[in-house]
Amino acid sequence: EQLKMISNPVCPLCGNQDNQARFSQRGYKLCACNNCELLFIDPYPAEIDVVHKRVSDYSHHEMEIVDPEVDYLSSVLYYKKYLPMVENACEGARSVLDVGCGTGYLLQQLGSNRNLYRRGIELNEGRAGIARNISGCEIHEIPIEQFKSQKKFDVIILMNVLSHMHSFDKLFGSLLSLLNDNGKLIFKVGEFSKQTKRIDMFDWEIPDHMHFLGHNTINYICQKY
């Protein structure tokens, strides 16, 4: 008989294979990296195009049946806590890019500063259409990894979208190429310990969410990129 060696999956952030499986959902394992503490799904999607298509399609039907005004009101409630923080971080900025801008509420609110050059990226066609109407600015339906701009940005915002990004290297390569010197990257993310359990969240939304940050993952990301 031949013995098959089963190796641990490779962490998509640090490339380490020292990790432990925490739980399974929808045929995927959630693994916790012992090096950078990233929690990531196994099997991890091999192709970035598959991820882009999933993001652009996953809520298309939902957007057809949800009243845009209802979706907008949910954004109002969501940003009640975070909008003042974002506005404070954007103080003095002359340009901002919102990646995964959803229905455009944040861009609309930031538009109260008429001197602010605003752009958004939203792969979902339904949300992008609403965002254009609400924000009054250009919304690009192109992955951030492929987005090119002659103008660089003082602030780039990613609110709850990092876990949908397939490749950290490609993401940060693009972000840094679009960011002005002394510019700011703003992330809204969840953080979890390596001991997290499936019951810690009602639905982890795997595989739409491919990874989650551990307590020290953001420090690793800052040092690497």
Side-chain angles (χ1 to χ4, degrees):
E1 293 184 3
Q2 292 183 335
L3 294 177
K4 292 184 178 180
M5 299 297 292
I6 301 176
S7 60
N8 280 356
V10 175
C11 174
L13 175 57
C14 71
N16 201 295
Q17 287 185 279
D18 180 14
N19 54 70
Q20 52 189 296
R22 298 308 306 156
F23 61 83
S24 296
Q25 186 180 71
R26 299 188 182 98
Y28 294 83
K29 289 189 301 181
L30 188 72
C31 301
C33 179
N34 291 323
N35 182 43
C36 67
E37 298 189 16
L38 183 77
L39 285 82
F40 63 95
I41 62 172
D42 176 45
Y44 199 79
E47 301 294 333
I48 194 170
D49 291 343
V50 174
V51 177
H52 291 156
K53 188 176 189 307
R54 181 188 299 148
V55 174
S56 63
D57 291 347
Y58 77 97
S59 55
H60 181 70
H61 176 67
E62 172 190 301
M63 292 305 297
E64 289 178 345
I65 62 176
V66 173
D67 189 323
E69 292 184 7
V70 174
D71 194 80
Y72 176 83
L73 289 175
S74 68
S75 297
V76 174
L77 293 173
Y78 173 77
Y79 279 109
K80 189 174 183 180
K81 176 179 180 181
Y82 298 109
L83 182 59
M85 301 180 192
V86 175
E87 288 179 325
N88 183 61
C90 290
E91 187 173 351
R94 291 183 291 181
S95 56
V96 61
L97 175 67
D98 187 3
V99 181
C101 65
T103 53
Y105 175 76
L106 179 58
L107 286 170
Q108 179 199 38
Q109 297 304 302
L110 294 175
S112 60
N113 179 353
R114 295 186 179 181
N115 295 323
L116 189 64
Y117 175 86
R118 298 166 298 133
R119 287 292 182 269
I121 291 178
E122 177 54 54
L123 294 185
N124 183 272
E125 182 181 357
R127 284 191 168 91
I130 298 171
R132 290 187 187 96
N133 293 330
I134 288 176
S135 68
C137 66
E138 191 170 353
I139 306 297
H140 304 272
E141 294 179 46
I142 184 172
I144 179 63
E145 299 91 346
Q146 300 172 17
F147 180 66
K148 306 294 182 185
S149 174
Q150 294 289 338
K151 185 176 180 64
K152 293 195 173 186
F153 297 89
D154 294 330
V155 178
I156 302 178
I157 304 169
L158 297 92
M159 299 290 286
N160 282 344
V161 297
L162 186 61
S163 60
H164 298 288
M165 298 296 178
H166 177 268
S167 167
F168 288 91
D169 286 349
K170 290 180 180 179
L171 170 64
F172 281 95
S174 181
L175 292 177
L176 295 175
S177 72
L178 293 166
L179 196 66
N180 273 326
D181 293 340
N182 300 316
K184 295 179 181 178
L185 294 177
I186 300 176
F187 293 93
K188 160 68 172 64
V189 298
E191 287 184 321
F192 300 87
S193 74
K194 290 190 294 183
Q195 286 72 41
T196 191
K197 301 179 179 62
R198 181 174 177 175
I199 60 172
D200 291 336
M201 284 184 65
F202 175 71
D203 187 352
W204 290 78
E205 297 183 20
I206 293 171
D208 288 341
H209 293 160
M210 291 174 285
H211 45 71
F212 307 85
L213 300 193
H215 287 165
N216 292 307
T217 306
I218 196 66
N219 295 331
Y220 183 93
I221 287 174
C222 290
Q223 290 172 10
K224 182 173 182 179
Y225 299 108

